[in-house]
Amino acid sequence: DDSSCKLIGQIRDVSRVMEEEENSQSAYNPETDEINWDCPCLGGMANGPCGEQFKAAFSCFVHSTAEPKGIDCLEAFKEMNNCFKEHPDVYEIADDEDDSEEENQEMSKTLVNDQEASETSTKNDQKTST
C-alpha cells in the first residue's frame, strides 16, 4: 500500500533524526523520559497547525518498542501526514504522483533489510552475552 510505504518513510526519517541527535543536542532525554519540543533539531514541527499531530507521532516513535522501531506508530504518522496535506502553505510534502512504484518497493526492501539486520544483531548480542 502506497500510503503505508510513505508513512514508513516518515518513520525512517524520524529514526534518522534520533540517530543524528545522539551526537548533538537531543529532543529526547531517556533519563527523564522528557521530550524537548523546543529543540532546534525538530525544526519547529511541534509548533504550527499540526503541532499536536507531530507531537503524538514523535512521542509514539520515541517510546516504541516494536521492531522495526516505530512500526506501531503508523496511525499517528497517518494523522500527522493528513494534517500536513490540509496545510500545504505551512508544510512541504512530497507529491503522491512523484513517487514511483520502484521507489516504494525499494523502501519496503530497505525496511525489511533493516529489520533483518536488527534481528541478526540482537541474536549475535545474545550469543556473546551467554
Side-chain angles (χ1 to χ4, degrees), residues 16 20 26 29 51 62 68-69 84 107 119 123:
R16 272 190 227 108
E20 290 170 5
S26 179
N29 182 339
V62 164
K69 185 168 181 74
F84 288 173
M107 188 183 315
E119 289 170 0
K123 287 177 186 173

Side-chain angles (χ1 to χ4, degrees), residues 60-71:
C60 180
F61 177 84
V62 164
H63 296 104
S64 174
T65 57
E67 286 296 331
K69 185 168 181 74
I71 197 70

